[in-house]
Amino acid sequence: MATPYQGAPLPGTPVQRGVTSLTQNGQDAAAPVIRTIGFSDLHRALQLGWEDFKAVPSHAIILCVIYPVLGLVLARTVLGYSVLPLLFPLAAGFALLGPFAALGLYELSRRREMGEQEPSAWVALDVLRSPSFGAMLGLGVLLLALFVTWVATAQAIYIAAFGYEGVTGISDFATRVLTTPQGWWLIIIGCGVGFLFALVALCVSVVSFPLMLDRHAGAGEAMVTSLRAVARNPVPMAAWGLIVAVLLVVGSLPFFLGLTVVIPLLGHATWHLYRETIEPELNPQPLPPRAPRERRPAADFPANLFPWRRKDS
């Protein structure tokens, strides 16, 4: 049975667990308060994420089935069009887009946290109606640009190592990469540059999307809060990034099918990591009600697309 999240303090309860005092640091009192976390909090986030996945596995798999499908299509395209050197950069680069792609999973975890025992898949689509969805979309575009830049950089590194000559098959590619000095240079430089891209993505998005979903913050505030959270907890956040990388590699090995479990697990766990890292609001402000939408008869189409052209009767 799902229970409300136990980490949120009741009104009037003093803030604990190594909370950073924003007033004494000279920051805005309304800014999110960051906790000091440890490895036990990472374990708790993964454990709660697994519980969420077990509670709504079919919905999570439906939301994430696009990942293994894309992986298989990607593999077929690579093998068919001789762009095999980009297979690993493309597969690894999808992790940069993961925080945005998991928005629906954050919503499912949030609903279970609020006491809903079996939130449906349609609940995940409520993020589209969130007041901060525009900010989420903007940050998602930033991550997409980071992904495209990474792929272009990986291609440039490969060309610098082997030139523009194509490969004739998997065995030829493996021989080049694993048995030549250029191949080892490619592995070392490529992994190092990829680490820098992953580090940037982690720093700006580790708690950004859950914060925008939970508090309807702007993209700038969410990114600043994420950077502060990483600066406050560098070792646990580095460990979290390593956990994400290892799980994604393990999930990708059996023809990407393992991602149907890994992706929702990480999505749910990221929401709980956000809860462990950011102190909940003691007095959250309710959102103002939306203005009622005027219903117009279909006979007015297409004139109703131009309301400023209508004349008052």
Side-chain angles (χ1 to χ4, degrees):
M1 177 181 297
T3 57
Y5 181 70
Q6 301 298 322
L10 297 175
T13 303
V15 177
Q16 301 176 352
R17 298 183 58 191
V19 175
T20 303
S21 175
L22 298 183
T23 55
Q24 66 183 9
N25 288 343
Q27 299 177 0
D28 185 3
V33 181
I34 298 174
R35 292 167 169 166
T36 299
I37 63 173
F39 296 109
S40 60
D41 297 296
L42 303 184
H43 179 267
R44 174 174 168 80
L46 288 169
Q47 184 180 33
L48 293 175
W50 179 247
E51 292 177 1
D52 286 349
F53 174 71
K54 290 190 298 182
V56 286
S58 60
H59 307 143
I61 289 176
I62 290 173
L63 287 171
C64 298
V65 71
I66 186 65
Y67 281 89
V69 170
L70 283 178
L72 293 175
V73 171
L74 172 63
R76 178 64 184 90
T77 302
V78 165
L79 294 176
Y81 294 95
S82 299
V83 286
L84 188 61
L86 288 180
L87 175 59
F88 177 76
L90 285 171
F94 279 126
L96 303 177
L97 304 176
F100 174 73
L103 282 175
L105 299 172
Y106 306 151
E107 179 65 13
L108 287 173
S109 290
R110 190 180 73 89
R111 291 300 185 95
R112 289 199 71 240
E113 179 182 291
M114 295 170 60
E116 294 187 24
Q117 295 186 13
E118 297 182 359
S120 67
W122 295 109
V123 168
L125 299 179
D126 285 350
V127 296
L128 300 177
R129 297 192 292 269
S130 172
S132 58
F133 181 73
M136 300 178 198
L137 187 61
L139 184 53
V141 171
L142 177 62
L143 294 181
L144 177 60
L146 191 66
F147 168 76
V148 173
T149 304
W150 153 245
V151 173
T153 303
Q155 183 179 23
I157 294 174
Y158 180 84
I159 292 175
F162 295 107
Y164 291 93
E165 183 181 356
V167 295
T168 58
I170 296 179
S171 60
D172 180 34
F173 176 71
T175 301
R176 286 189 182 187
V177 173
L178 300 178
T179 63
T180 65
Q182 297 92 332
W184 286 107
W185 180 87
L186 173 69
I187 293 174
I188 295 173
I189 299 300
C191 290
V193 174
F195 169 78
L196 295 179
F197 276 90
L199 179 63
V200 172
L202 175 71
C203 290
V204 302
S205 66
V206 63
V207 297
S208 295
F209 290 102
L211 179 66
M212 288 187 282
L213 179 63
D214 184 39
R215 301 194 185 186
H216 310 292
E221 178 187 357
M223 287 191 291
V224 169
T225 302
S226 185
L227 290 170
R228 290 175 50 227
V230 173
R232 176 74 176 177
N233 304 282
V235 175
M237 289 301 180
W240 177 254
L242 180 61
I243 290 172
V244 171
V246 170
L247 288 179
L248 288 176
V249 170
V250 172
S252 300
L253 291 180
F255 302 102
F256 299 94
L257 295 178
L259 294 181
T260 57
V261 175
V262 171
I263 293 295
L265 169 62
L266 290 176
H268 292 305
T270 298
W271 171 264
H272 295 290
L273 178 66
Y274 158 72
R275 283 301 194 203
E276 297 292 333
T277 306
I278 305 299
E279 187 72 20
E281 291 181 291
L282 295 179
N283 299 300
Q285 298 297 324
L287 291 176
R290 294 185 180 183
R293 190 173 182 178
E294 181 183 357
R295 300 181 63 88
R296 298 172 184 170
D300 289 346
F301 183 84
N304 54 17
L305 296 178
F306 311 97
W308 59 87
R309 298 287 301 275
R310 295 188 305 140
K311 297 181 179 179
D312 296 334
S313 56

